[in-house]
Amino acid sequence: MTAHPWLRVLAGALVIVGLAMFFINAEALLNGDAVECDGSPMRPGQWCASASGGETLSYEEEKKNEARGELVGYAGVGLGTLGIVLFISNGITTWRRNR
């Protein structure tokens, strides 16, 4: 029996949230420094009229959005890793107590 069952719930939540943050922003992570508008590469001075949102963004605004998405994606990797570490440490602690 685990000493802190809430720790497993927290670890599971961190893994799920981390994976969601990573996969939602995976495109920004994989593009590197490329700036895209609906899948097409953009150059400085161009504007993006998104078909899905209906808003028009400049190259610089799209670049900021990509950078923010990349940061959120990496934060997701960190949260997921923390959740995995909590699962493992909780399992080791439980195993040692039951020996």
Side-chain angles (χ1 to χ4, degrees):
M1 176 155 213
T2 61
H4 304 286
W6 58 269
L7 194 59
R8 294 179 75 179
V9 173
L10 175 63
L14 286 173
V15 169
I16 291 170
V17 169
L19 284 172
M21 289 171 66
F22 173 78
F23 284 114
I24 289 171
N25 295 290
E27 184 179 351
L29 289 170
L30 299 176
N31 279 347
D33 291 335
V35 178
E36 294 183 349
C37 175
D38 288 336
S40 300
M42 289 181 70
R43 290 186 298 272
Q46 288 185 323
W47 289 82
C48 176
S50 178
S52 59
E55 63 181 322
T56 303
L57 299 173
S58 70
Y59 173 85
E60 289 75 22
E61 291 169 326
E62 280 291 329
K63 189 170 183 170
K64 285 180 187 177
N65 287 342
E66 292 273 339
R68 185 172 26 97
E70 190 174 1
L71 181 64
V72 171
Y74 283 127
V77 170
L79 287 176
T81 302
L82 179 61
I84 291 169
V85 168
L86 285 175
F87 265 129
I88 292 170
S89 64
N90 189 27
I92 290 171
T93 303
T94 302
W95 178 73
R96 285 184 176 173
R97 281 196 184 144
N98 294 333
R99 278 190 352 169

